[in-house]
Amino acid sequence: MTVTSSLYWWKPFSSARDMAISTAKYGTAWAHLAIANRNVSNFGDEVSRHFLQELTGESFRWRQPAKAEYLGIGSVLNSAIRSGFSGTIIGSGLRRPLATDESPDPSCNFIGVRGHLTAKEVGLPPEAAIGDPGLLARSVFSKPNHERQSAMPVLIPHFEVLNSKSGRSSLKALRSEGWDVILPNTPPAEVARAVRQAPFVASSSLHGYIFAHALDTPTTLLEFRDESGEPDFKFRDYLSVFGLEPSRTHARDLSHKTVGTLIDQESENSSLISQKIDSVLDAMYKTTFGKRK
């Protein structure tokens, strides 16, 4: 019989506090996203329960961090620590370094975290930093042989891009130039299919960037002029597992570069990450109480 456990993952309107923040800071973005896809979710956070089930063999239901037994995908550690989380962490990360008044509950069980920067902040040995569970897209959304079908490159924006007129205008312009814009509230399986089929992915969403790595699609981190709310820490944390630092392509430069040029630009990092992903995934399976299927 499958055990059902409680898991926290980020939802933009899951509490009065989150609702107030999401409405005040990003209300325009969520309004546009809801009109486009009729939901207010973020695909990379929504897959947390499915990916942790792949790792552990358990099923999960959503709970607030103070009452949840587990944390999984996402930069949720800062807020979870502030909320009094005292359960098990599997692959979560910090958005930014811990403040002087922030420290994990002593009863927290760190099975693993997203990267070496988070591990250092919470006082774990380097070997505990096993990588982002988003890489399990390789297992959960495995790519059929020769599936690459689309000639259209894919662009996955962070939801903040939709919050400004200039950001929305940039997406509209790039869509007219042949980019398939996949909004972050698209269902995860649809995101994975688009990423698998595309020749190239440009993403300002860390989740999109990780999906592309997991599914062996060449990718670059994308930067928009008005998108400044996401700290560099989380990108550096994820890439630390591969011994890399983030580099970015500005959205305006996509108009001046061919897909072939973009692929060549990222080929060295893509190759290095591709070679290491399986060992990162193996470490995840070995350090949890589930088994690879």
Side-chain angles (χ1 to χ4, degrees), residues 2-13:
T2 303
V3 176
T4 300
S5 301
S6 57
L7 171 72
Y8 171 73
W9 64 91
W10 181 74
K11 289 175 174 283
F13 296 93

Side-chain angles (χ1 to χ4, degrees), residues 8 41 48 57 65 73 86 94 98 110 113 135 146 150-152 175 178 186 191 204 211 224 271:
Y8 171 73
S41 64
S48 191
I73 291 176
S86 59
L94 294 165
L98 291 172
F110 283 90
V113 291
L135 292 170
H146 311 298
S150 175
M152 292 180 67
R175 189 181 282 114
T186 301
V191 177
S204 64
F211 264 46
F224 288 83
S271 176

Side-chain angles (χ1 to χ4, degrees), residues 24-135:
K25 294 182 69 175
Y26 308 116
T28 301
W30 288 115
H32 281 274
L33 288 166
I35 290 170
N37 283 339
R38 299 181 182 276
N39 71 76
V40 285
S41 64
N42 194 34
F43 78 93
D45 298 285
E46 290 295 315
V47 297
S48 191
R49 57 179 170 155
H50 302 296
F51 285 13
L52 261 66
Q53 181 171 352
E54 164 74 13
L55 274 177
T56 67
E58 295 193 13
S59 63
F60 295 91
R61 67 183 188 280
W62 185 90
R63 291 292 298 273
Q64 288 284 2
K67 297 180 179 180
E69 297 169 273
Y70 290 91
L71 292 182
I73 291 176
S75 303
V76 295
L77 264 178
N78 296 87
S79 60
I81 287 171
R82 291 194 301 270
S83 299
F85 177 79
S86 59
T88 297
I89 295 94
I90 304 179
S92 308
L94 294 165
R95 291 189 80 243
R96 52 177 56 87
L98 291 172
T100 54
D101 60 346
E102 286 181 339
S103 61
D105 189 290
S107 61
C108 283
N109 175 28
F110 283 90
I111 289 179
V113 291
R114 179 178 55 205
H116 294 297
L117 303 189
T118 292
K120 183 177 180 181
E121 284 290 315
V122 299
L124 299 183
E127 59 267 23
I130 60 174
D132 194 297
L135 292 170

Side-chain angles (χ1 to χ4, degrees), residues 1-280:
M1 183 175 180
T2 303
V3 176
T4 300
S5 301
S6 57
L7 171 72
Y8 171 73
W9 64 91
W10 181 74
K11 289 175 174 283
F13 296 93
S14 61
S15 68
R17 180 179 181 275
D18 286 342
M19 184 177 294
I21 293 172
S22 295
T23 302
K25 294 182 69 175
Y26 308 116
T28 301
W30 288 115
H32 281 274
L33 288 166
I35 290 170
N37 283 339
R38 299 181 182 276
N39 71 76
V40 285
S41 64
N42 194 34
F43 78 93
D45 298 285
E46 290 295 315
V47 297
S48 191
R49 57 179 170 155
H50 302 296
F51 285 13
L52 261 66
Q53 181 171 352
E54 164 74 13
L55 274 177
T56 67
E58 295 193 13
S59 63
F60 295 91
R61 67 183 188 280
W62 185 90
R63 291 292 298 273
Q64 288 284 2
K67 297 180 179 180
E69 297 169 273
Y70 290 91
L71 292 182
I73 291 176
S75 303
V76 295
L77 264 178
N78 296 87
S79 60
I81 287 171
R82 291 194 301 270
S83 299
F85 177 79
S86 59
T88 297
I89 295 94
I90 304 179
S92 308
L94 294 165
R95 291 189 80 243
R96 52 177 56 87
L98 291 172
T100 54
D101 60 346
E102 286 181 339
S103 61
D105 189 290
S107 61
C108 283
N109 175 28
F110 283 90
I111 289 179
V113 291
R114 179 178 55 205
H116 294 297
L117 303 189
T118 292
K120 183 177 180 181
E121 284 290 315
V122 299
L124 299 183
E127 59 267 23
I130 60 174
D132 194 297
L135 292 170
L136 286 160
R138 176 166 290 196
S139 302
V140 177
F141 300 120
S142 58
K143 177 177 63 180
N145 291 334
H146 311 298
E147 189 191 11
R148 196 86 68 201
Q149 296 173 359
S150 175
M152 292 180 67
V154 160
L155 191 159
I156 305 174
H158 187 275
F159 69 83
E160 287 186 22
V161 176
L162 280 294
N163 212 44
S164 70
K165 184 177 181 180
S166 64
R168 296 190 298 276
S169 295
S170 292
L171 295 180
K172 183 178 180 180
L174 288 165
R175 189 181 282 114
S176 71
E177 293 171 12
W179 286 84
D180 184 11
V181 177
I182 305 297
L183 296 177
N185 63 336
T186 301
E190 292 183 26
V191 177
R193 182 170 59 251
V195 168
R196 288 196 311 254
Q197 293 181 347
F200 189 82
V201 171
S203 179
S204 64
S205 155
L206 179 57
H207 298 302
Y209 188 57
I210 291 170
F211 264 46
H213 285 152
L215 297 170
D216 281 329
T217 302
T219 184
T220 189
L221 277 175
L222 196 59
E223 182 177 36
F224 288 83
R225 184 183 66 186
D226 290 341
E227 183 186 342
S228 58
E230 290 304 291
D232 201 47
F233 182 94
K234 69 178 191 178
F235 298 97
R236 293 176 55 232
D237 188 40
Y238 162 65
L239 286 172
S240 70
V241 177
F242 304 103
L244 297 172
E245 287 286 336
S247 60
R248 289 173 173 78
T249 300
H250 199 282
R252 63 172 175 266
D253 294 331
L254 294 184
S255 301
H256 310 302
K257 295 183 178 182
T258 66
V259 170
T261 298
L262 290 165
I263 291 172
D264 290 343
Q265 172 184 301
E266 299 296 332
S267 62
E268 185 175 348
N269 284 354
S270 294
S271 176
L272 190 153
I273 291 171
S274 181
Q275 292 169 23
K276 291 186 176 182
I277 283 178
D278 283 337
S279 63
V280 173

